[in-house]
């Protein structure tokens, strides 16, 4: 069979040309959103295959569609000065953009650029180089990825689902295959596939032979996924066949949707051979793959004034993400397009094109179009908009049988939306009141007028001046019989005469608008202007009028605003509940799988969330890793909008069918074991042989380990080893309570000796017992007081003495007292007769403490924590010193280990460890420096330099990122990781050498998602414990230096 495949390469070229045309149609459909194949074919034909011109032809009609012009009134001369009119004109210009221009800009941003084809070729070369390297290298993945080489750690446990190995940018394969494998009906069809012998012998062409070989390899893969004893299996055999279809130079790197299309096409063709043996070869209705994944929809509409209607078949239904917030909005947008060109006689709104599902497949797959071409940047971009989707969706509202009901509901929704629009406009006039550029809420404006009128007039507290106007009665302000054209006299006398004239108006004239002209009020000196605005004069009658009217108007307006809001909320609720009709809840589809993409348009990583019906949990399939997840995690990773990770494909299953329902899936675990037993003999033998090989690998590894000579480790690595203590002898027992406390006593030897020296008078006067008691109490009090003091930022008293650490963390009193007694029983205190005598008495008292008086396990644990605290401090200080010297690689090792060990201490209390933010800050700085250095080495294209840069990424940066992500990651750490990832992803859009593409393809998926790796944290080189300087002095010097610029030097 393989020889025949190699002989038919010429036939494969013709297949690629046909698939190339289909690929152009798919690209055109995704870029423009046009789903009608006839439109797409006509556009490609008219443009002679030029996709850029085809996009222009398809979008031209939308661009030139006339829009409703927004009419803005010109401001009158009375509305402001020339400067004000200029500002108003600018505002109006911004709001009156021609809709044609806007549509043209949108269409222009969708045009394809020749650069994307070049980018696709670059990505295709990466795929080819990666595949070739996979065939050449054959090295174990654990050698490059830091996995645990012990095969026992890769043994499958309790029938847990099996992962798939990533053999070089193949996460897209794993995500799709895992989602399909967990469909019991699909798994059954693949494993039970067989062809009669005569069909096998008379296989007509290269394509059919290739599909049969792929089908056989897929059967082997599924059999391993069911019965293997390994945690993950290798899909290379099936994958290499599939990759061969993507190697034509005009094709780009395939994503999940393209791969799924190709996979279903091959499976459909393979099953069609089995169907053709018994029936019409062209009849696909009996094809199991078509029955499982393909449906039909009816398209109705009006084109060029003529109605049309056609039926089409679909597999994966594409949906646009832009402009929508949930899956129902996406579907509604895909099913209805535009207004009818010919209005019907009843004047109700119709649509240019409507789609209705006439038959839904048992497995319904939605493609979410999250990529678009950015014309200004000249490259594709990923759409990060948030899009929500439910666990159960009812498809009745999109079915042809519900057409009349849905049309009536759409008409109701349209009218309701128009009503909301009118209500919003009315509400806007209230909350944005005014005729100038500055608008304010009308109730607030009335409130401010009332407050102004109620302010005490300045004239009430000031003496009347000769030039001030006297208060006039309200009735004298307005005179209906006055000459409206007469000019006021500029003299003060004329003003008084005009003001003093009366009119025979009715009492209702108070409420008439004033049309007369009044002389301006006399000006006053700036210093006489009050601190708060207030009327100069106001009468009781005027105040009563202002308060009565304005308060009544404000209450009425507030009620109007509330009524408008209530009406808008009620109408919105009606729209939301429009489809909550029992008649539209008859076709439920349950979410089966979500395929997720993390990264940018030109690079990223795929994984899948699949609902495990028997276990009633969501599982995350991430290459070799299969872990239990939750709906909350799925939402965070799939909805989008937060970071560069979002769902790219949704797979729903018909919940009304028996083999997809939740009740039928409860026994699927037993069904899986039954399927393994029922495998064909060939597949069962294949699984048994692979399991036998795995057991041999385990035996060989265990044999190699038993033959190895144990190596003596001169540098203890236990977490309880204190790095600043004196070195233990080679024959010393493992660190225990007595050993650790003795080491801590040796650290405080000088302080203990000073305490003994201070008891000379008590020793001479009262003897050794009294001297020990006085030294004990004095040292206890001194250390307790030291623990309660607030130290400066460059000092940590916990490093001075173990009891300061115990006091600050509220250790039990018996632990404190025994520790201090061991300080005086230390054999290193034999300076003179008094010291020896006190040491012997203290040793005798220690022997009197029995097991009932002291919990030695608790005592040992406290000393282990203090040892680990000093070790973390040493690693932190070493890392900071190395960082300041520019040795970022060595510094990072110490800082990472310090952070991990410090975390175990901080869990027990905030004072158990060192300040976490300091370690995190300099760990982050080291990562960014090393990433920049690795990138500069990578750009040299010099083999030794490139290797060095890649080693830095593989051995330091990627494992460190894995550890950071597993912790409760901070915003600063997340931002730093995104900076590093984006730096490396930027190379994908550049024209780089082939060897650099190969290296990039190997480690970039790990950089984007290192969660599939097993990281073994290696302890950095051990610091010599017999350091020549005190740890406290070193801590003070380093802490002071990190606030300056000089390199640390401790003498």
């Amino acid at each position: 069979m393989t020889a025949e495949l190699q002989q038919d390469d010429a036939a494969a070229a013709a297949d690629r040309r046909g698939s190339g045309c289909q690929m152009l149609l798919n690209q055109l459909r995704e870029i423009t959103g046009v789903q009608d194949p006839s439109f797409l074919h006509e556009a490609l034909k008219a443009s002679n295959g030029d996709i850029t011109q085809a996009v222009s032809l398809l979008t031209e009609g939308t661009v030139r569609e006339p829009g409703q012009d927004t009419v803005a009134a010109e401001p009158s001369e009375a509305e402001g000065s020339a400067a004000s009119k200029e500002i108003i004109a600018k505002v109006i210009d911004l709001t009156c953009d021609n809709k044609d221009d806007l549509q043209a800009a949108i269409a222009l941003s969708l045009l394809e650029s020749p650069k994307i084809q070049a980018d696709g070729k670059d990505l295709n070369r990466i795929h080819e180089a990666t595949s070739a390297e996979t065939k050449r290298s054959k090295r174990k993945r654990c050698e490059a990825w830091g996995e645990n080489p012990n095969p026992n750690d890769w043994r499958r446990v309790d029938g847990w689902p099996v992962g798939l190995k990533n053999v070089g940018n193949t996460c897209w394969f794993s995500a799709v295959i895992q989602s399909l494998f967990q469909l019991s009906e699909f798994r059954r069809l693949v494993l039970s596939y067989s062809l009669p012998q005569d069909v096998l012998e008379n296989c007509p062409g290269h394509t059919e032979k290739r599909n049969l070989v792929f089908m056989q390899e897929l059967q082997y893969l599924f059999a391993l996924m069911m019965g293997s004893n390994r945690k993950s299996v290798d899909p290379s055999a099936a994958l290499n066949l599939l990759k061969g279809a993507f190697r034509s130079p005009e094709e780009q790197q395939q994503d999940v949707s393209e791969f799924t299309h190709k996979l279903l096409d091959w499976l459909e063709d393979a099953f069609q051979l089995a169907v053709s043996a018994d029936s019409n070869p062209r009849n696909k209705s009996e094809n199991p793959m078509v029955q499982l994944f393909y449906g039909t929809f009816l398209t109705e509409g009006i084109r060029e004034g003529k109605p049309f209607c056609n039926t089409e078949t679909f597999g994966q239904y594409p949906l646009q993400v832009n402009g929508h917030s949930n899956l129902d909005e996406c579907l509604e947008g895909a099913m209805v397009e535009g207004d009818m060109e010919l209005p019907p006689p009843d004047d109700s709104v119709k649509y240019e094109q409507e789609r209705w599902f006439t038959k839904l497949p048992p497995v319904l797959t939605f493609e979410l179009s999250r990529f678009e071409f950015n014309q200004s940047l000249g490259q594709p971009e990923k759409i990060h908009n948030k899009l929500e989707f439910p666990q159960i969706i009812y498809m009745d509202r999109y079915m042809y049988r519900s057409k009349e009901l849905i049309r009536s509901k759409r008409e109701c929704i349209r009218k309701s939306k128009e009503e909301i629009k009118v209500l919003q406009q009315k509400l806007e006039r209230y909350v944005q009141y005014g005729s100038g550029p500055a608008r304010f809420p009308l109730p607030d404006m009335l409130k401010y007028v009332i407050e102004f009128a109620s302010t005490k007039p300045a004239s009430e507290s000031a003496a009347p001046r000769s030039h001030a106007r006297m208060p006039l009665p309200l009735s004298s302000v307005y005179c209906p019989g006055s000459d409206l054209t007469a000019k006021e006299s500029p003299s003060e006398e004329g003003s008084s005469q005009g003001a003093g004239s009366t009119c025979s108006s009715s009492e209702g004239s108070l409420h008439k608008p004033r049309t007369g002209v009044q002389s301006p009020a006399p000006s006053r000196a700036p210093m006489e202007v009050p601190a708060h605005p207030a009327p100069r004069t106001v009468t009781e009658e005027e105040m009563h009028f202002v308060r009565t009217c304005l308060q009544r108007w404000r209450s009425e307006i507030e009620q109007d605003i509330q009524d408008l809001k209530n009406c808008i909320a009620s109408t919105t609720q009606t729209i939301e509940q429009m489809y909550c009709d029992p008649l539209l809840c008859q076709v439920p589809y349950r979410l089966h799988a979500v395929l997720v993409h993390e990264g940018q348009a030109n690079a990223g990583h795929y994984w899948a969330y699949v609902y495990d019906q028997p276990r009633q949990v969501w599982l995350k399939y991430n290459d070799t890793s299969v872990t239990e997840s939750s709906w909350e995690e799925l939402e965070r990773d799939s909805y989008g909008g937060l970071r560069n990770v979002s769902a790219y494909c949704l797979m729903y299953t018909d919940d009304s069918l028996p083999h997809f329902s939740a009740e039928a899936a409860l026994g699927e675990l037993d069904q899986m074991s039954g399927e393994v037993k029922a495998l064909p003999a060939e597949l069962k033998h294949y699984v048994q042989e692979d399991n036998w090989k795995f057991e041999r690998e385990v035996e060989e590894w265990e044999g190699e380990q038993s033959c190895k000579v144990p190596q003596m480790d001169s540098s203890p690595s236990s977490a309880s080893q204190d790095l600043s203590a004196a070195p233990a002898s080679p024959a010393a027992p493992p660190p225990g309570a007595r050993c650790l406390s003795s080491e801590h006593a040796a650290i405080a030897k000088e302080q203990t000796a000073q305490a003994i020296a201070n008891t000379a008078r008590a020793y001479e006067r009262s003897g050794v017992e009294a001297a020990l008691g006085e030294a004990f109490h004095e040292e206890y009090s001194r250390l307790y007081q030291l623990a309660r003091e607030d130290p400066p930022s460059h000092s940590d008293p916990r490093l001075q003495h173990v009891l300061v650490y115990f006091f600050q963390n509220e250790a039990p009193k018996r632990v404190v007292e025994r520790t201090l007694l061991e300080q005086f029983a230390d054999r290193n205190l034999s300076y003179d007769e008094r010291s020896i005598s006190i040491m012997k008495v203290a040793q005798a008292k220690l022997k009197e403490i029995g097991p009932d008086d002291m919990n030695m396990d608790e005592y040992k644990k406290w000393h282990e924590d203090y040892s680990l605290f000093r070790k973390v401090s040493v690693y932190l200080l070493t890392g900071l010193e190395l960082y300041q010297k520019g040795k970022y690689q060595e510094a990072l090792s110490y800082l990472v280990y310090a952070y991990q060990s410090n975390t175990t201490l901080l869990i027990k209390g905030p004072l158990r460890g060192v300040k976490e933010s300091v370690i995190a800050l300099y760990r982050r700085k080291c990562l960014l420096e090393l990433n920049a250095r690795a990138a500069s080495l990578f750009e040299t294209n010099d083999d030794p330099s490139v290797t060095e840069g890649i080693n830095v990424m593989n051995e330091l940066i990627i494992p460190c990122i894995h550890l950071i992500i597993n912790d409760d990651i901070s915003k600063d750490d997340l931002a730093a990781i995104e900076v590093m990832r984006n730096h490396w992803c930027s190379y994908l859009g550049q024209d780089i050498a082939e060897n650099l593409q190969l290296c990039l393809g190997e480690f970039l998926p790990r950089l984007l998602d290192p969660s599939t790796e097993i990281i073994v944290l290696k302890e950095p080189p051990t610091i010599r414990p017999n350091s020549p300087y005190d740890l406290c002095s070193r801590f003070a010097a380093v802490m002071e230096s990190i606030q300056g610029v000089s390199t640390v030097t401790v003498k």
Side-chain angles (χ1 to χ4, degrees):
M1 184 74 73
T2 305
E4 294 175 2
L5 290 175
Q6 294 175 348
Q7 294 173 0
D8 292 335
D9 285 339
D15 292 339
R16 291 195 187 104
R17 286 192 294 271
S19 63
C21 180
Q22 183 61 40
M23 190 196 70
L24 288 176
L25 289 174
N26 293 338
Q27 290 179 347
L28 204 56
R29 182 184 292 110
E30 182 171 352
I31 293 172
T32 62
V34 176
Q35 303 296 327
D36 193 335
S38 60
F39 276 107
L40 300 176
H41 278 291
E42 290 174 6
L44 276 180
K45 184 177 179 181
S47 62
N48 294 324
D50 187 345
I51 192 168
T52 303
Q53 186 177 355
V55 172
S56 302
L57 292 173
L58 289 171
T59 56
E60 183 177 3
T62 306
V63 172
R64 299 189 178 180
E65 182 180 351
Q68 296 179 355
D69 297 332
T70 304
V71 180
E74 291 294 331
S76 64
E77 294 181 0
E79 289 181 6
S81 62
S84 301
K85 284 187 282 186
E86 182 179 353
I87 295 174
I88 294 172
K90 289 180 180 178
V91 174
I92 292 174
D93 288 340
L94 288 174
T95 58
C96 289
D97 286 341
N98 194 327
K99 189 174 180 182
D100 289 345
D101 296 338
L102 179 61
Q103 295 284 1
I106 294 173
L108 184 62
S109 68
L110 293 174
L111 294 182
E112 189 69 272
S113 169
K115 182 176 179 181
I116 191 171
Q117 299 176 4
D119 291 344
K121 295 177 181 179
D122 291 341
L123 293 174
N124 196 44
R125 287 201 301 271
I126 294 176
H127 252 305
E128 292 184 28
T130 305
S131 178
E133 177 65 20
T134 302
K135 291 182 178 180
R136 288 195 304 267
S137 137
K138 300 299 181 184
R139 66 182 177 184
K140 291 184 179 179
R141 190 163 172 258
C142 61
E143 294 175 3
W145 285 40
E147 294 176 354
N148 194 333
N150 185 353
N152 282 307
D153 293 333
W154 291 95
R155 185 182 295 276
R156 188 179 182 183
V157 180
D158 297 333
W160 191 254
V162 170
L164 295 177
K165 291 183 178 180
N166 189 324
V167 291
N169 291 342
T170 59
C171 51
W172 45 275
F173 178 87
S174 301
V176 175
I177 289 297
Q178 291 283 20
S179 303
L180 295 175
F181 175 79
Q182 298 305 323
L183 292 168
S184 57
E185 182 66 15
F186 179 80
R187 187 173 63 244
R188 182 189 65 80
L189 288 173
V190 171
L191 291 173
S192 61
Y193 178 82
S194 62
L195 283 178
Q197 188 62 33
D198 59 334
V199 176
L200 290 173
E201 294 175 354
N202 300 321
C203 208
H206 172 274
T207 302
E208 289 78 6
K209 295 174 184 177
R210 179 205 60 197
N211 293 344
L212 291 180
V213 174
F214 175 76
M215 198 70 193
Q216 185 180 26
E217 294 297 342
L218 192 62
Q219 286 182 322
Y220 287 146
L221 179 60
F222 276 22
L224 286 179
M225 294 171 69
M226 291 177 61
S228 177
N229 291 338
R230 307 175 190 263
K231 279 185 178 179
S232 59
V233 296
D234 190 345
S236 297
L239 185 60
N240 289 336
L241 284 172
L242 199 59
K243 278 185 175 182
F246 300 149
R247 288 179 181 169
S248 57
E250 66 272 9
E251 292 189 15
Q252 302 177 7
Q253 180 179 356
Q254 302 301 304
D255 56 20
V256 164
S257 61
E258 289 294 329
F259 162 64
T260 309
H261 280 300
K262 184 74 68 177
L263 174 67
L264 294 181
D265 286 346
W266 285 19
L267 293 175
E268 177 188 343
D269 293 344
F271 275 93
Q272 191 63 33
L273 291 176
V275 172
S276 302
D278 302 324
S279 61
N280 184 2
R282 297 186 178 182
N283 183 12
K284 294 188 176 183
S285 60
E286 298 181 8
N287 190 313
M289 288 294 115
V290 174
Q291 294 174 352
L292 189 60
F293 292 103
Y294 290 84
T296 57
F297 63 85
L298 178 70
T299 304
E300 296 180 331
I302 294 178
R303 183 187 304 157
E304 297 178 356
K306 298 180 180 179
F308 70 92
C309 178
N310 55 54
T311 302
E312 298 179 50
T313 301
F314 71 93
Q316 294 175 273
Y317 200 82
L319 296 175
Q320 296 296 324
V321 173
N322 257 347
H324 305 295
S325 61
N326 57 59
L327 185 59
D328 279 316
E329 288 185 8
C330 292
L331 281 166
E332 191 73 20
M335 306 303 281
V336 180
E337 296 180 7
D339 295 339
M340 284 290 194
E341 295 178 7
L342 293 179
D346 59 354
D347 292 332
S348 62
V349 173
K350 296 294 182 183
Y351 301 94
E352 180 184 352
Q353 184 170 287
E354 290 179 338
R355 291 190 183 91
W356 303 96
F357 291 118
T358 53
K359 176 181 173 294
L360 289 174
V363 181
L364 179 59
T365 306
F366 295 117
E367 292 180 16
L368 304 181
S369 299
R370 282 198 172 271
F371 296 106
E372 64 180 2
F373 188 76
N374 189 318
Q375 184 71 23
S376 60
L377 297 178
Q379 62 183 17
E381 274 188 346
K382 184 178 179 182
I383 302 171
H384 297 293
N385 298 354
K386 182 177 182 180
L387 184 77
E388 299 180 355
F389 48 85
Q391 295 193 57
I392 294 182
I393 185 172
Y394 294 96
M395 297 298 296
D396 306 74
R397 60 186 280 192
Y398 311 108
M399 299 294 293
Y400 182 76
R401 65 189 186 194
S402 307
K403 179 175 70 171
E404 298 304 326
L405 176 61
I406 298 303
R407 278 183 172 175
S408 64
K409 289 184 177 293
R410 284 175 179 168
E411 180 67 16
C412 292
I413 290 176
R414 184 190 65 81
K415 292 180 178 179
S416 297
K417 288 183 176 180
E418 290 180 354
E419 180 182 347
I420 290 178
K421 185 178 180 180
V422 173
L423 294 173
Q424 289 283 12
Q425 291 174 349
K426 292 182 178 180
L427 181 61
E428 188 73 12
R429 296 189 186 103
Y430 281 97
V431 298
Q432 296 290 332
Y433 187 81
S435 59
R439 310 284 177 100
F440 303 96
L442 183 54
D444 292 347
M445 296 175 69
L446 296 177
K447 174 185 174 184
Y448 300 150
V449 174
I450 295 173
E451 291 177 355
F452 170 77
S454 302
T455 305
K456 186 177 180 181
S459 60
E460 291 185 8
S461 58
R465 303 179 183 272
S466 60
H467 62 272
R469 293 188 56 177
M470 298 298 292
L472 301 176
L474 186 62
S475 58
S476 66
V477 174
Y478 170 67
C479 180
S482 61
D483 186 3
L484 299 179
T485 62
K487 294 184 179 180
E488 290 187 281
S489 171
S491 66
E492 202 170 300
E493 182 181 357
S495 293
S496 301
Q497 292 176 356
S501 62
T502 60
C503 59
S504 58
S505 62
S506 64
E507 295 179 359
S509 63
L510 286 173
H511 304 288
K512 294 181 180 180
R514 177 184 175 187
T515 58
V517 180
Q518 184 179 354
S519 61
S523 62
R524 53 187 174 186
M527 295 304 297
E528 296 179 1
V529 176
H532 301 284
R536 295 190 181 184
T537 58
V538 61
T539 65
E540 291 294 332
E541 191 176 5
E542 288 175 334
M543 180 58 65
H544 175 73
F545 166 73
V546 169
R547 284 181 174 173
T548 302
C549 292
L550 296 187
Q551 287 179 352
R552 185 181 76 249
W553 293 345
R554 183 186 175 197
S555 300
E556 293 171 352
I557 290 170
E558 288 178 342
Q559 184 61 47
D560 291 344
I561 291 176
Q562 189 59 45
D563 291 343
L564 287 171
K565 289 181 177 179
N566 292 341
C567 190
I568 291 173
S570 175
T571 309
T572 303
Q573 186 177 8
T574 302
I575 293 176
E576 292 174 351
Q577 297 178 353
M578 186 65 69
Y579 294 107
C580 297
D581 189 329
L583 295 176
L584 300 179
C585 298
Q586 308 299 315
V587 187
Y589 270 74
R590 182 179 298 274
L591 186 62
H592 165 70
V594 180
L595 279 64
V596 177
H597 176 267
E598 180 180 26
Q600 303 299 330
N602 51 9
H605 179 65
Y606 290 99
W607 66 86
Y609 290 99
V610 182
Y611 188 70
D612 192 297
Q613 288 278 15
R615 297 179 176 88
Q616 299 291 300
V617 295
W618 284 95
L619 298 182
K620 180 179 180 180
Y621 290 84
N622 194 345
D623 290 337
T624 58
S625 171
V626 182
T627 55
E628 185 174 330
S629 184
S630 63
W631 177 252
E632 291 71 26
E633 182 184 1
L634 187 151
E635 284 182 331
R636 186 172 63 251
D637 285 351
S638 305
Y639 280 1
L642 295 177
R643 43 196 190 97
N644 59 349
V645 55
S646 54
Y648 191 59
C649 185
L650 306 176
M651 195 176 291
Y652 284 85
T653 57
D654 191 343
D655 205 38
S656 62
L657 296 179
H659 51 274
F660 287 121
S661 65
E663 292 78 7
L666 292 177
E668 195 169 315
L669 284 176
D670 297 333
Q671 175 187 346
M672 181 80 74
S673 60
E675 289 180 18
V676 175
K677 296 178 181 177
L679 285 174
E682 181 183 4
L683 295 179
K684 189 182 297 183
H685 176 74
Y686 182 79
V687 173
Q688 292 173 350
E689 183 179 1
D690 185 77
N691 288 337
W692 177 81
K693 290 180 180 178
F694 177 66
E695 298 303 330
R696 289 291 302 272
E697 292 173 9
V698 174
E699 293 176 3
E700 290 175 2
W701 186 87
E702 291 177 346
E704 292 175 359
Q705 298 304 309
S706 63
C707 295
K708 289 183 178 179
V709 179
Q711 301 292 326
M712 297 299 295
D713 189 2
S714 59
S715 59
S717 59
S718 82
S720 60
Q721 173 68 28
D722 187 270
L723 297 179
S724 60
S729 62
R738 182 77 179 92
C739 180
L740 287 174
S741 59
S742 298
E743 291 176 356
H744 298 157
I747 295 171
K749 179 179 62 175
E750 295 181 1
Q751 302 177 57
T752 308
Q754 184 61 44
I756 293 175
N758 294 338
T759 62
R761 184 176 300 178
Y763 179 79
E764 295 174 357
R765 184 176 65 250
S766 305
V768 64
E769 289 276 357
L772 175 59
E774 180 178 329
F776 186 93
H777 291 294
E778 289 293 333
E779 189 69 359
Y780 189 99
S781 300
R782 182 185 72 84
L783 295 173
Y784 181 83
Q785 185 63 31
L786 181 61
R788 292 296 177 263
E789 292 178 356
D790 189 14
S793 59
H794 60 272
S795 175
D796 192 343
R798 294 175 297 176
L799 296 173
Q800 296 183 24
H801 203 286
V802 62
L803 288 189
V804 177
Y805 182 85
F806 286 178
F807 281 135
Q808 290 189 359
N809 290 286
E810 300 179 353
K813 187 176 181 180
R814 290 188 177 183
V815 172
V816 174
E817 291 176 347
R818 180 184 175 92
T819 300
L820 185 54
L821 190 59
E822 287 201 22
Q823 308 278 325
F824 293 100
D826 184 19
R827 298 182 182 276
N828 296 314
L829 295 175
S830 54
Y831 298 117
D832 52 22
E833 182 181 352
R834 184 174 67 251
S835 300
I836 295 173
S837 300
I838 290 177
M839 178 189 68
K840 290 181 178 179
V841 173
Q843 290 175 350
K845 290 185 177 294
L846 281 175
K847 292 179 181 179
E848 294 175 0
I849 302 176
D852 296 335
D853 301 322
M854 174 62 65
N855 185 343
M856 294 306 294
D857 290 335
E858 180 186 34
Y859 183 76
K860 176 183 177 181
K861 191 60 182 174
W862 274 98
H863 281 276
E864 287 177 346
D865 286 352
Y866 183 65
S867 290
L868 184 56
F869 165 73
R870 290 180 65 89
K871 186 174 186 178
V872 169
S873 300
V874 171
Y875 281 167
L876 170 60
L877 298 178
T878 305
L880 293 178
E881 292 167 347
L882 291 169
Y883 172 81
Q884 290 186 321
K885 295 175 181 178
K887 299 180 179 180
Y888 305 117
Q889 189 167 342
E890 296 86 348
L892 182 61
S893 299
Y894 285 103
L895 293 173
V896 167
Y897 198 85
Y899 189 94
Q900 297 301 119
S901 301
N902 192 56
T903 302
T904 62
L905 290 174
L906 293 180
I907 292 174
K908 302 177 182 179
L911 296 178
R912 291 289 186 105
V914 302
K915 193 174 182 180
E916 190 177 55
S917 59
V918 177
I919 311 177
L921 172 62
Y922 284 90
R923 179 184 63 177
R924 193 161 53 245
K925 288 185 175 183
C926 286
L927 277 173
L928 292 172
E929 292 285 354
L930 285 174
N931 189 72
R933 179 181 297 177
S936 63
L937 291 172
F938 179 81
E939 292 172 356
T940 61
N941 199 17
D942 177 56
D943 287 343
S945 299
V946 171
T947 302
E948 181 183 353
I950 297 301
N951 288 340
V952 170
M953 297 298 299
N954 286 332
E955 297 173 5
L956 278 175
I957 294 181
I958 292 178
C960 185
I961 289 177
H962 172 82
L963 294 172
I964 294 175
I965 292 177
N966 281 354
D967 295 332
D968 187 10
I969 188 169
S970 66
K971 291 183 179 179
D972 292 334
D973 284 338
L974 184 59
I977 291 174
E978 288 301 316
V979 168
M980 291 186 284
R981 288 174 172 173
N982 291 337
H983 189 113
W984 288 99
C985 287
S986 66
Y987 290 121
L988 293 176
Q990 302 177 15
D991 187 14
I992 58 178
E994 185 175 352
N995 63 315
L996 298 184
Q997 293 178 3
L998 177 60
C999 294
L1000 199 62
E1002 283 185 344
F1003 81 86
L1004 191 56
R1006 300 178 51 220
L1007 178 64
L1008 294 173
D1009 182 34
S1011 60
T1012 58
E1013 304 181 38
I1014 298 177
I1015 300 298
V1016 179
L1017 181 62
K1018 295 183 179 180
E1019 189 172 350
T1022 305
I1023 307 298
R1024 294 186 60 186
N1026 52 344
S1027 55
Y1029 48 88
D1030 182 58
L1031 187 58
C1032 297
S1033 302
R1034 185 181 177 194
F1035 181 87
V1038 173
M1039 290 298 109
E1040 289 177 353
S1041 67
I1042 61 175
Q1043 300 175 359
V1045 295
S1046 60
T1047 304
V1048 178
T1049 304
V1050 180
K1051 296 182 180 179

